[in-house]
Amino acid sequence: MKFTLQKTCAITGARAGLLETKHGIIETPVFMPVATKGSVRGIPWQTIHDLGAQIVLGNTYHLHIRPGEEIIEKAGGLHAWSKWPKPYLTDSGGFQVFSFARRGKAKIDDSGVTFKDDLAGNTHHIGPKESMQIQRALGADIVMAFDHCPPGNAEKAEVEIAVKRTQAWAEQCLEISLKPHQDLFLIVQGGRHEDLRQESLEGLISLNASGYALGGVSVGESREEVDKVVQSMSKYLPADKPRYLMGVGTPHDLKVAVSSGIDMFDCVLPTRLSRHGSYFAENGKVKSITQKAFTEDLETPLVSDCACSTCQTFSRAYLKHLFLRSELTVYYYLSVHNLHTLINFSKQMRQAILEDRFVQFIAEKNII
Ligand SMILES: [Zn+2]
């Protein structure tokens, strides 16, 4: 993998770059749609491709439980199995297994997490070694280190343990060899505590990984707390490595992240919102398709200046009708709009950075 920094905004630190992988070159900043179980929920790959997605994220925990990494490896890895030829990133599985711990269904120790799955109730153990072995078999271009992700409201002592464990586990992850086309990203922890984030960052930078991620944000903190962590930490991440903010995905989040020098982000929000009849409005705010004024609004698309196929084709009244009648096509139409909003906004920010007009672009775009 090769990362080339093309341009940095002198005022904000926003960056445009190129990330070269075996399965294609990724232009950053980039929004990565989430293909949890090897498919972006309800959306065919052709549409994901047409929307301009450059890389998708697969979920190690879900793919490990079912169908199991053995069958995916036998098919030739995630790309060949799912027929998505462009780059893939897999998470470590840590986020899901730690959510079992939050529900009192898992035991955490220095070797990893032991838990019973939600499906057959079988007992599993995933630690740094297991996570690397599973991700090696899955064959994504970018694999994530197994980290200890405490909840957003955790006591400082618990976050301190998480930082130390994340460091030890990062070292163990690096010792396990991946496939030649795979690169490992390490994940900075530390919650809301700047001193712990700093400690985590310094320890991980000394390991000289291919890329760095800010983890443990968007796990229950307020929007202001997330913004503060992103704004204060991203400037310390190595300038010559790709920077990834995990699990955020509103236009506001992307604006803050890119303005802070982040290159990559992912979120399930675009497809999840559509299942609740919600969409990204002009200013980036989430709105409902069921609002009263939409019942007879035959003239207006969801968002007036949106170039997505949903906004180019359908009225608000028709989409509201489909949602209220539970017509399955509406989830597709709303997802297309929501995915387009984030992918296109990322592209527009990239273009603005390259053309030295990022600050002006952000001011005019008026994302709140
Ligand atoms: Zn649209």
Side-chain angles (χ1 to χ4, degrees), residues 1 21-23 73 77-79 88-90 131-144 176-185 210:
M1 173 182 291
T21 73
K22 184 191 169 189
H23 294 94
E73 187 172 35
L78 274 175
H79 305 84
Y88 250 108
L89 178 149
T90 44
S131 174
M132 287 302 105
Q133 285 167 344
I134 299 166
Q135 291 188 79
R136 181 188 153 85
L138 294 175
D141 303 270
I142 300 171
V143 313
M144 300 304 297
I176 297 185
S177 63
L178 296 165
K179 290 185 174 162
H181 71 278
Q182 295 185 298
D183 276 86
L184 179 69
F185 280 23
S210 298

Side-chain angles (χ1 to χ4, degrees), residues 282-326:
E282 281 84 354
N283 53 10
K285 273 193 124 176
V286 173
K287 287 194 176 166
S288 172
I289 184 77
T290 60
Q291 44 196 293
K292 198 158 181 278
F294 283 14
T295 307
E296 294 184 18
D297 190 344
L298 296 165
E299 303 301 322
T300 328
L302 276 182
V303 170
S304 296
D305 62 350
C306 181
C308 86
S309 59
T310 298
C311 291
Q312 293 297 310
T313 314
F314 302 115
S315 67
R316 291 169 164 178
Y318 178 66
L319 292 169
K320 176 178 176 180
H321 159 77
L322 292 183
F323 183 73
L324 292 180
R325 302 280 70 81
S326 303

